[in-house]
Amino acid sequence: MTEIWIKEAERLGGGKIGGDMDTPSAPPRVVWHTTESGTGPASFTAVASYLTKVASEPHILYDPTTDRLGQYGPLNQSARALRNDGSLRTNRTGRVCVQIEVLGRAGQPFTSTWKPGPNFRALMRAIRSWGVPDVWPAGRLAASYADNASRSRSVWQTKGGHYGHSNAPGNDHWDPGNIDQSAIFKAAGASGGGSSSGGSTSTSTYTVKSGDTLSAIGTKTGVKWQTIASLNGLTAPYVIKPGQVLKLKATSSAPAKPVVSVAHLNTARTKDIPAPTGHTTYKAEVLVVENALVAEGLLDKQYADGSWGTKTDEAYNAFRRRTGYTGDAAKGSVGLESLKKLAAKRGFTAKA
């Protein structure tokens, strides 16, 4: 199932940034950019506002140091981050052309210092849902402004996969810099299909091509078509579509979610705030909540240390206000209801 809106991402702007794709039958692709800015909550807020102000919105804004993820518009429509190449509207090329602005600078490749987490994996999950293969069709990325990385128009129009802004025809930027291309896929987890030679099988998934049937896919992959149908919830008449990603084997069980106790958080809050800076009571559980608040853009990463200090308290209150709490309900002791809301968004379990 293709993803138009990423459920883990914050909504940025008004939700409408472009229009229909010009060549929806062309292969899907992704373009990586850097914002040429700092990182962290303040930069995320400033850049998010600036891109809207100058009408240069991408689909996605991502902070590689906090794993914060924002989305401006639907992935099945165009964004505004590329220049046209003459009459070729580069933003509208392909089944999708997902534009990702990463906080950082081309001269300091973000894969050298990043901390990808569940939000990055969610981003890649959505990208792969459109059948974007784990390849870089244009080859290497530019290592400097003067570096002439490939900007082939024919490759751009005919090959799906991942591109840098430095690979887009009609554009002169060199971002995202010389990032580790393989690190993008490693951080995302299991492959979503595709190979540099144009194939589309992997050990766990298969991307449907035009003319494919379940029987033909079974022959290609060595997996019984009945098994493929069962794994993907398909029933007669077994309709599949080009670009659809099919599972070829059962997904392994997800690791257990961390459990956070409201009682433990309130004990930590009572003891850590008046104690010397850095005092911890239930460090592991507090750290889970602090990392969730960092991902929400409400707490600076430097304060995620397992100690429930005043910065953590203020950030948690801000989360409560964001989710509709007012007055006394938006401050003071941690409540189970608000903690469950944070847990649902950030992958942990809340208990009394």
Side-chain angles (χ1 to χ4, degrees):
M1 180 69 70
T2 54
E3 292 189 44
I4 295 175
W5 290 98
I6 304 172
K7 65 181 181 180
E8 293 86 349
E10 302 172 37
R11 295 290 183 92
L12 303 174
K16 176 70 175 178
I17 55 176
D20 294 338
M21 304 303 290
D22 288 346
T23 54
S25 62
R29 75 279 318 285
V30 174
V31 185
W32 295 87
H33 307 253
T34 46
T35 58
E36 302 308 300
S37 72
T39 59
S43 292
F44 191 101
T45 299
V47 171
S49 176
Y50 174 77
L51 290 173
T52 299
K53 181 179 179 181
V54 298
S56 295
E57 300 99 318
H59 292 95
I60 300 295
L61 183 63
Y62 179 70
D63 186 341
T65 64
T66 66
D67 197 42
R68 188 176 178 184
L69 183 69
Q71 183 172 356
Y72 285 96
L75 300 186
N76 64 338
Q77 295 190 348
S78 66
R80 297 171 174 166
L82 294 172
R83 292 180 187 169
N84 291 339
D85 182 24
S87 61
L88 175 65
R89 298 201 292 183
T90 48
N91 285 301
R92 297 177 184 247
T93 303
R95 185 183 185 206
V96 292
C97 184
V98 180
Q99 309 281 328
I100 303 169
E101 286 280 3
V102 179
L103 290 182
R105 302 181 188 278
Q108 301 170 329
F110 66 83
T111 52
S112 298
T113 56
W114 69 336
K115 298 177 181 178
N119 281 343
F120 181 79
R121 292 190 290 275
L123 169 60
M124 288 297 291
R125 180 195 69 221
I127 287 169
R128 288 168 168 172
S129 79
W130 289 95
V132 179
D134 288 358
V135 296
W136 296 81
R140 68 180 184 84
L141 299 166
S144 70
Y145 180 79
D147 189 6
N148 294 317
S150 172
R151 296 185 191 270
S152 168
R153 190 176 192 185
S154 63
V155 170
W156 175 258
Q157 291 181 288
T158 61
K159 302 292 185 182
H162 293 249
Y163 293 81
H165 196 173
S166 58
N167 300 135
N171 289 250
D172 61 2
H173 292 207
W174 69 283
D175 56 312
N178 191 27
I179 62 171
D180 182 343
Q181 293 167 293
S182 64
I184 298 295
F185 309 134
K186 289 177 183 177
S191 173
S195 71
S196 59
S197 61
S200 56
T201 61
S202 73
T203 58
S204 60
T205 62
Y206 179 91
T207 303
V208 179
K209 294 182 296 214
S210 179
D212 271 343
T213 63
L214 280 184
S215 178
I217 294 171
T219 300
K220 292 178 184 178
T221 63
V223 180
K224 292 181 179 180
W225 72 263
Q226 295 92 337
T227 299
I228 299 173
S230 176
L231 286 172
N232 293 276
L234 302 176
T235 56
Y238 305 110
V239 176
I240 55 176
K241 298 179 180 179
Q244 183 177 351
V245 178
L246 299 176
K247 291 185 290 186
L248 299 181
K249 64 180 182 180
T251 305
S252 59
S253 298
K257 295 180 180 180
V259 178
V260 178
S261 162
V262 168
H264 289 174
L265 293 185
N266 284 320
T267 298
R269 182 176 180 273
T270 301
K271 294 184 177 181
D272 292 351
I273 290 177
T277 300
H279 180 274
T280 61
T281 307
Y282 287 101
K283 182 175 181 178
E285 291 175 69
V286 171
L287 193 56
V288 169
V289 174
E290 287 178 326
N291 285 333
L293 293 171
V294 169
E296 288 287 310
L298 299 172
L299 181 67
D300 194 283
K301 184 68 175 177
Q302 65 178 306
Y303 299 115
D305 57 2
S307 174
W308 191 288
T310 55
K311 293 292 186 182
T312 301
D313 208 49
E314 291 167 1
Y316 194 82
N317 291 344
F319 173 76
R320 287 191 277 206
R321 291 193 296 272
R322 175 183 286 179
T323 52
Y325 292 87
T326 59
D328 291 342
K331 58 187 178 181
S333 299
V334 176
L336 182 57
E337 182 183 89
S338 63
L339 188 64
K340 282 184 175 180
K341 290 183 178 181
L342 183 60
K345 293 187 68 177
R346 297 300 167 184
F348 64 93
T349 300
K351 71 172 187 177

